[in-house]
Amino acid sequence: MKTITMTLAALTLATASFSALAATEVQSAPAGEQTIGTVSASSNGDLSTLQSKLNAKATEAGASSYRIIGASGENHMYGTAELYK
């Protein structure tokens, strides 16, 4: 029983710390942050799937925030985001 409690506690902490490190989508360039590059992604899904992929790439690149600067497509979505830190 103690092992299950410890495992659940570890999973909760791991999830909380991961979400705290995720990049935040912004609508304009954040004041005091510098551009650190761009990322692009594509998706067979809808716009929210494309946003999730861009968020994951921004987080992986170490960005604290990102701004989607272009998105297009119908059945296949393409997008680009500018990264800030």
Side-chain angles (χ1 to χ4, degrees):
M1 187 65 167
K2 191 173 189 178
T3 304
I4 293 172
T5 304
M6 294 299 274
T7 302
L8 289 175
L11 287 173
T12 302
L13 287 173
T15 303
S17 64
F18 176 74
S19 62
L21 298 175
T24 304
E25 184 178 359
V26 295
Q27 300 302 314
S28 61
E33 292 190 6
Q34 294 183 350
T35 301
I36 61 169
T38 60
V39 293
S40 60
S42 62
S43 167
N44 288 331
D46 57 3
L47 187 57
S48 64
T49 304
L50 180 62
Q51 285 176 309
S52 296
K53 286 187 173 191
L54 289 169
N55 184 317
K57 285 191 171 190
T59 301
E60 183 179 310
S64 58
S65 58
Y66 68 100
R67 179 173 62 102
I68 297 176
I69 56 176
S72 64
E74 290 183 23
N75 294 329
H76 192 84
M77 302 292 295
Y78 301 92
T80 305
E82 189 168 33
L83 308 179
Y84 302 97
K85 190 166 188 175

